[in-house]
Amino acid sequence: MKPIKTTVWDPAKYIETEEDAAIYLEEVFKIGEPDLIIAAIGDVARARGMTKIADNTNRGRESLYKSLSHGGNPSFETIMKVLTSLGFELRPTPVS
């Protein structure tokens, strides 16, 4: 039997529209896992262009890649600036 060649699935390749990004982030936020949320924000940032996001947030591109990857530890300020740069805001809503 021939070995099966696999590749790592990269969500950033499939986030093409504003709606794609919104749905993706909304679903990840529903899961509520902080590391997954950080990585998802990073996926959307990579889909939009990390250099552009870095410029908009006055952060280094390499630093954003590292802090927005799985296991990254960005400050809350960084998360807020990146979300704003992506065109999103973080709003509290009551838990039902």
Side-chain angles (χ1 to χ4, degrees):
M1 180 183 270
K2 259 186 167 178
I4 297 173
K5 183 179 178 184
T6 61
T7 58
V8 175
W9 186 75
D10 183 4
K13 292 180 181 179
Y14 302 94
I15 301 169
E16 297 175 347
T17 66
E18 186 79 20
E19 183 180 13
D20 293 341
I23 291 169
Y24 179 55
L25 290 175
E26 186 176 310
E27 292 303 314
V28 170
F29 270 78
K30 284 180 188 175
I31 295 168
E33 175 62 38
D35 284 342
L36 186 57
I37 292 169
I38 292 167
I41 292 169
D43 294 338
V44 175
R46 286 187 301 108
R48 299 269 180 90
M50 193 65 85
T51 300
K52 178 182 167 186
I53 303 304
D55 289 345
N56 291 345
T57 60
N58 294 317
R59 303 286 194 269
R61 186 178 59 85
E62 296 84 9
S63 174
L64 280 181
Y65 271 115
K66 184 177 178 180
S67 65
L68 297 175
S69 65
H70 183 72
N73 190 21
S75 69
F76 190 70
E77 177 185 13
T78 296
I79 291 294
M80 294 302 293
K81 285 187 176 195
V82 170
L83 284 173
T84 299
S85 178
L86 294 171
F88 294 100
E89 60 184 14
L90 190 59
R91 264 191 258 179
T93 54
V95 176
S96 50

